[in-house]
């Protein structure tokens, strides 16, 4: 089971590791390059790429890596997750759950995210069962990209669509999403 970024990880690992027997990917990141194109304004892409290059040069010299905020209140400020729901989650809900969280991520992490393409591995999951739990109005890991990944997946596969956005899977729809995942695993991994 993986959610958001790790929702992409379980797709990749499930495709490559024969020990994995069933997969649930909840509100998964399936295409880092498409996420970057959708989350970063087009007029800021060149600036971001220049920041990636500067960070690389600094690290090669043994200097401290560059960082940017994870979330920001009012884009066009540069941050890794420039959506209103991400800002609300990390600064309000998430901060209560992880009081030591810092609003800081390395540029290298953002660059690696931009090259991460779990969608390219999804067909390799079969014949293991896979379930995608997708939020109907997800702007952080866009709904249409997750649905495209589901279409590419081979059977056996299942799809559940939750109302709301990305973070609703963790709060408003948590009981439902966790029950869906539990029931899927019981069906496919339960005692026979």
């Amino acid at each position: 089971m993986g959610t958001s970024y790790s929702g992409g990880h379980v797709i990749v690992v499930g495709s490559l590791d024969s020990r994995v027997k069933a997969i649930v990917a909840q509100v998964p990141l399936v295409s880092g390059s498409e996420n970057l194109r959708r989350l970063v304004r087009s007029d800021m892409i060149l600036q971001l790429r220049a920041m990636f290059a500067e960070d690389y040069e600094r690290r090669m010299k043994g200097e401290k890596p560059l960082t940017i905020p994870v979330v920001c209140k009012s884009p066009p400020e540069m941050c890794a997750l420039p959506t209103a729901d991400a800002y609300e989650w990390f600064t309000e809900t998430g901060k209560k759950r992880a009081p030591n969280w810092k609003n800081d991520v390395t540029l290298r992490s953002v660059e690696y995210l931009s090259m991460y393409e779990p969608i390219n591995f999804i067909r390799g999951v079969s014949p293991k069962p896979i379930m995608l739990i997708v939020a109907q109005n997800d702007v952080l890991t866009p709904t249409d990209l997750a649905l495209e990944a589901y279409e590419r997946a081979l059977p056996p596969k299942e799809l559940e669509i939750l109302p709301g956005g990305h973070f609703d899977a963790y709060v408003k729809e948590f009981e439902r999403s966790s029950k869906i995942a539990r029931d899927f695993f019981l069906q496919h991994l339960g005692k026979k």
Side-chain angles (χ1 to χ4, degrees):
M1 164 107 194
T3 190
S4 196
Y5 197 71
S6 67
H9 292 342
V10 298
I11 293 168
V12 174
V13 172
S15 174
L16 301 174
D17 190 333
S18 63
R19 296 172 296 175
V20 175
K21 303 300 179 205
I23 295 159
V24 173
Q26 176 178 263
V27 293
L29 172 94
V30 295
S31 176
S33 62
E34 267 305 308
N35 268 56
L36 182 74
R37 275 193 277 286
R38 294 188 189 194
L39 293 178
V40 178
R41 284 184 10 198
S42 61
D43 62 328
M44 297 177 83
I45 294 285
L46 288 177
Q47 176 188 354
L48 182 61
R49 298 243 182 253
M51 292 167 69
F52 291 161
E54 179 186 351
D55 177 59
Y56 177 79
E57 292 297 323
R58 290 174 57 93
R59 286 184 287 111
M60 292 301 106
K61 294 176 185 173
E63 296 175 13
K64 201 172 175 186
L66 293 175
T67 63
I68 62 172
V70 175
V71 294
C72 47
K73 188 171 188 171
S74 57
E77 182 183 341
M78 184 71 74
C79 63
L81 305 175
T83 63
D85 61 341
Y87 180 81
E88 179 183 334
W89 167 259
F90 281 98
T91 61
E92 296 173 21
T93 309
K95 191 71 170 166
K96 291 175 193 168
R97 295 176 182 204
N100 295 325
W101 175 78
K102 292 183 176 36
N103 188 18
D104 199 33
V105 65
T106 63
L107 270 168
R108 183 182 196 178
S109 298
V110 176
E111 182 178 22
Y112 284 175
L113 177 142
S114 75
M115 297 181 280
Y116 192 43
E117 299 296 326
I119 196 167
N120 294 335
F121 291 83
I122 200 156
R123 292 178 69 83
V125 171
S126 181
K128 300 166 198 160
I130 184 169
M131 170 180 276
L132 268 61
I133 301 174
V134 177
Q136 187 173 18
N137 298 307
D138 196 332
V139 294
L140 189 59
T141 57
T143 304
D144 66 304
L145 297 178
L147 294 175
E148 179 185 339
Y150 177 78
E151 289 303 316
R152 287 190 190 186
L154 298 173
K157 62 183 183 177
E158 294 182 36
L159 175 67
E160 287 287 337
I161 301 196
L162 301 174
H166 186 82
F167 296 98
D168 289 318
Y170 311 133
V171 184
K172 293 177 186 172
E173 296 297 325
F174 176 76
E175 292 299 320
R176 180 176 174 207
S177 65
S178 58
K179 181 183 182 314
I180 290 167
R182 181 203 64 205
D183 292 349
F184 178 82
F185 284 128
L186 285 172
Q187 175 188 350
H188 295 285
L189 302 177
K191 293 181 182 176
K192 294 183 180 192

